[in-house]
């Protein structure tokens, strides 16, 4: 499990660790890890040109000490000091190894820019002199120290100017801004340097492949189709029969023992999925709403009457009220905005807070779709999905996702686990089938069995 801790949690853990270490030892660990990551990015250190943008905190100190390490290895290192309070020991070390202090306009065109402007304690946004220094060398790779300067570390928000890094080297643990968009998009690739911190549980986490493998329901030797779970699908309509086909495709990936379909697109479902049973019967979970059009309100009422866990998607979302049952709501930003009477831009700017608000308001697990999908529980716990590729932004992908989550609910997972495991599998299957290029939503469903098989090897 990848955990994302808050600034205060990190500071408390660092303070505890430093009590047993010589002064400056923790910064040396961080700087050495940072220098190693920069060297790996450069490929060859000797003769490389490195530009440090240095603020006044420990973040700037990490950059200066890392610069000293790189200078010792033969790099040409220049530092632009953006504060009168640059870390004195780090600056002395850099100068002792041949590094130079320059102004932004004097700096040579570097091979890499190191963003040591603002650390995890900084406020969102950048001062004009930092913006100007960053603008001097467009197109040069940027390595952020701990977090991209200017983002809100604990929320993932970005307000005003901020660094857009190609690589972020962070220390001790991931922070919320590394996982939650839009800040996570600004972080680029994130590399973690272990500092040996003793950290508490984190409220924001991201499942990894081993976590998903451990959570997946697996059939035993005496199981049959009914004991493995039956998932019912109330999706599609006369206007949108394809949604029913795609939703049942997601449900019929083998994660549950059986799929029942009840809706207006029965002929299309029979033709595409002969293994799906059309008609009534008992189920352990429902999936409702994908392409439901005018049928969605009644479909939701019928599903909720059964009192089983239910995935509510697309057209059914507008009919959800606070329910308190085992619901998984799967809106995109526009749908969630309507559910909370917000503007879409507000949801996209502050997804973590809005997803938590929605989960608390509706008493349900809320899956907010996006580049990094958020799965929020009413108690505030959030899982972030980091699997997937941009090609997954295609019509019908959400219908498949709803079906996958429904099959996991029917298989016995609770709503939070079903939504987060289903989202991870959906992204991983898309990555597999995309292979770097375009994909179809139905192909994502087809790739789920292979994705699961590889997880369980």
């Amino acid at each position: 499990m990848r955990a994302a801790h808050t600034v205060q949690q990190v500071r408390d853990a660092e303070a505890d660790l430093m009590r047993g270490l010589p002064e400056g030892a923790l910064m040396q660990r961080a700087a050495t890890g940072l220098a190693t990551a920069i060297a790996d990015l450069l490929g060859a250190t000797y003769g490389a040109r490195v530009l440090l943008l240095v603020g006044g905190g420990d973040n700037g100190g990490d950059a200066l000490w890392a610069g000293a390490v790189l200078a010792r290895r033969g790099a040409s290192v220049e530092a632009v000091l953006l504060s009168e309070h640059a870390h004195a020991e780090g600056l002395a070390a850099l100068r002792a190894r041949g590094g130079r202090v320059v102004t932004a306009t004097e700096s040579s065109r570097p091979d890499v820019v190191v963003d040591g402007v603002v650390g995890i304690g900084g406020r969102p946004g950048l001062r004009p002199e930092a913006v100007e220094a960053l603008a001097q060398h467009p197109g040069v790779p940027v390595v952020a120290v701990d977090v991209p300067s200017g983002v809100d570390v604990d929320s993932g928000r970005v307000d005003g100017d901020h660094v857009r890094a190609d690589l972020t080297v962070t220390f001790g643990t991931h922070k919320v801004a590394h996982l939650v968009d839009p800040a996570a998009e600004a972080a680029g690739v994130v590399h973690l340097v272990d500092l040996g911190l003793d950290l508490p549980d984190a409220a924001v986490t991201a499942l990894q492949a081993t976590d998903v493998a451990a959570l997946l329901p697996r059939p035993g030797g005496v199981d049959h189709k009914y004991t493995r779970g039956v998932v019912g699908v109330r999706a599609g309509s006369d206007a949108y029969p394809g949604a029913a086909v795609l939703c049942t495709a997601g449900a019929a990936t083998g994660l549950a023992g059986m799929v029942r379909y009840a809706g207006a697109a029965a002929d299309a479902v029979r033709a595409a999925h002969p293994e799906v049973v059309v008609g009534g019967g008992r189920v352990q979970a429902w999936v409702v709403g994908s392409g439901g059009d005018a049928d969605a309100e009644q479909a939701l009422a019928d599903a909720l009457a059964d009192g089983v866990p239910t995935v509510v998607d697309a057209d059914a979302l507008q009919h959800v009220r606070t329910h308190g049952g085992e619901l998984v709501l799967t809106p995109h930003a526009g749908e969630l905005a309507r559910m909370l009477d917000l503007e879409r831009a507000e949801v996209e700017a502050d997804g973590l807070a809005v997803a938590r608000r929605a989960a608390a308001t509706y008493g349900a697990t809320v899956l907010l779709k996006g580049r990094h999908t958020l799965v929020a529980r009413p108690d505030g716990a959030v899982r972030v999905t980091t699997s997937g590729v941009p090609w997954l932004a295609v019509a019908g992908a959400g219908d498949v996702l709803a079906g996958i989550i429904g099959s996991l609910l029917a298989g016995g997972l609770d709503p939070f686990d079903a939504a987060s495991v289903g989202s991870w599998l959906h992204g991983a299957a898309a990555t597999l089938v995309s292979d770097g290029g375009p994909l179809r939503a139905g192909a994502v469903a087809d790739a789920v069995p292979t994705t699961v098989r590889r997880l369980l090897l």
Side-chain angles (χ1 to χ4, degrees), residues 287-375:
V287 183
V288 182
S290 303
D293 200 30
D295 301 337
E297 184 174 12
Q298 186 60 52
L300 177 61
D302 292 342
L304 295 181
D306 280 353
V308 298
T310 301
V311 180
V312 184
D313 185 41
D315 295 323
L317 288 167
Q318 62 185 309
H319 304 296
V320 175
R321 303 295 179 262
T322 53
H323 184 267
E326 293 183 294
L327 299 186
V328 177
L329 313 182
T330 59
H332 56 58
E335 290 165 337
L336 190 55
R338 289 190 291 273
M339 292 168 68
L340 295 176
D341 195 23
L342 299 172
E343 296 296 324
R344 182 181 185 123
E346 295 178 85
V347 178
E348 292 174 336
D350 202 7
L352 179 62
V354 174
R356 281 173 163 160
R357 173 182 163 187
T361 298
Y362 285 92
T365 295
V366 173
L367 182 150
L368 174 56
K369 300 170 188 173
R371 188 189 77 99
H372 280 188
T373 289
L374 305 178
V375 180

Side-chain angles (χ1 to χ4, degrees), residues 163-205:
V163 170
R164 297 189 66 86
D166 298 278
L167 170 68
T168 295
V169 181
T170 193
F171 311 115
T173 181
H174 289 85
K175 286 75 179 177
V176 175
H178 298 138
L179 297 182
V180 175
D181 282 336
E185 187 178 9
V189 176
V190 179
H191 173 74
L192 176 64
V193 176
D194 185 14
L195 298 180
L197 301 182
D198 185 11
L199 291 154
D201 291 339
V204 177
T205 58

Side-chain angles (χ1 to χ4, degrees), residues 35-452:
T36 301
I38 294 170
D40 288 344
L41 177 66
L42 290 168
T45 305
Y46 189 84
R49 298 179 301 277
V50 179
L51 177 63
L52 312 176
L53 303 183
V54 181
D58 287 347
N59 181 265
D62 294 334
L64 288 166
W65 277 110
V69 172
L70 293 168
R72 189 176 61 204
R73 297 178 184 175
S76 172
V77 183
E78 295 180 334
V80 175
L81 305 185
L82 298 172
S83 169
E84 296 177 356
H85 307 289
H87 193 276
E89 292 83 0
L91 182 56
L94 177 66
R95 281 176 161 150
R97 289 166 174 79
R100 298 191 311 129
V101 174
V102 298
T103 67
T105 54
E106 291 172 340
S107 60
S108 306
R109 183 168 177 82
D111 297 308
V112 65
V113 173
V114 179
D115 161 32
V117 180
V118 181
I120 61 173
R123 290 177 294 182
L126 289 175
R127 298 194 308 273
E129 56 268 32
V131 175
E132 181 182 353
L134 283 161
Q136 293 298 314
H137 302 292
V140 175
V142 176
V143 177
V145 181
D146 220 354
V147 292
S149 293
V151 305
D152 190 304
V153 180
D154 282 346
S155 73
R157 287 182 61 96
V158 295
D159 296 306
D161 292 312
H162 60 279
V163 170
R164 297 189 66 86
D166 298 278
L167 170 68
T168 295
V169 181
T170 193
F171 311 115
T173 181
H174 289 85
K175 286 75 179 177
V176 175
H178 298 138
L179 297 182
V180 175
D181 282 336
E185 187 178 9
V189 176
V190 179
H191 173 74
L192 176 64
V193 176
D194 185 14
L195 298 180
L197 301 182
D198 185 11
L199 291 154
D201 291 339
V204 177
T205 58
L207 294 180
Q208 303 301 290
T210 53
D211 305 310
V212 174
L215 287 168
L216 274 171
R218 306 186 197 187
V222 297
D223 273 319
H224 49 76
K225 61 186 178 185
Y226 296 114
T227 60
R228 291 193 59 210
V230 180
V231 55
V233 176
R234 296 182 182 272
S237 59
D238 290 337
Y240 303 108
V245 172
L246 290 169
C247 191
T248 51
T253 52
L255 296 171
M258 182 176 172
V259 181
R260 294 188 188 276
Y261 176 75
D267 290 342
V269 170
R270 282 194 189 96
H273 306 297
E275 71 274 20
V276 173
V277 176
V278 175
R282 292 184 60 186
V283 300
Q284 279 69 57
W286 279 108
V287 183
V288 182
S290 303
D293 200 30
D295 301 337
E297 184 174 12
Q298 186 60 52
L300 177 61
D302 292 342
L304 295 181
D306 280 353
V308 298
T310 301
V311 180
V312 184
D313 185 41
D315 295 323
L317 288 167
Q318 62 185 309
H319 304 296
V320 175
R321 303 295 179 262
T322 53
H323 184 267
E326 293 183 294
L327 299 186
V328 177
L329 313 182
T330 59
H332 56 58
E335 290 165 337
L336 190 55
R338 289 190 291 273
M339 292 168 68
L340 295 176
D341 195 23
L342 299 172
E343 296 296 324
R344 182 181 185 123
E346 295 178 85
V347 178
E348 292 174 336
D350 202 7
L352 179 62
V354 174
R356 281 173 163 160
R357 173 182 163 187
T361 298
Y362 285 92
T365 295
V366 173
L367 182 150
L368 174 56
K369 300 170 188 173
R371 188 189 77 99
H372 280 188
T373 289
L374 305 178
V375 180
R377 204 166 58 187
D379 65 0
V382 174
R383 284 181 181 155
V384 186
T385 302
T386 57
S387 63
V389 289
W391 293 109
L392 187 52
V394 63
D399 305 334
V400 172
L401 173 61
I404 293 170
I405 296 170
S407 67
L408 292 166
L409 281 175
L413 294 189
D414 67 39
F416 189 54
D417 285 342
S420 48
V421 169
S423 179
W424 192 97
L425 285 175
H426 186 244
T431 302
L432 175 65
V433 75
S434 166
D435 195 26
L439 54 79
R440 295 178 296 100
V444 176
D446 294 340
V448 169
T450 300
T451 302
V452 171

Side-chain angles (χ1 to χ4, degrees), residues 5-19 26 58 119-123 154 171 173 175 197-200:
H5 290 86
T6 65
V7 171
Q8 192 59 54
Q9 288 174 323
V10 173
R11 285 178 166 169
D12 290 345
E14 287 178 344
D16 288 342
L17 181 60
M18 284 190 291
R19 291 188 187 100
L26 197 61
D58 287 347
I120 61 173
R123 290 177 294 182
D154 282 346
F171 311 115
T173 181
K175 286 75 179 177
L197 301 182
D198 185 11
L199 291 154

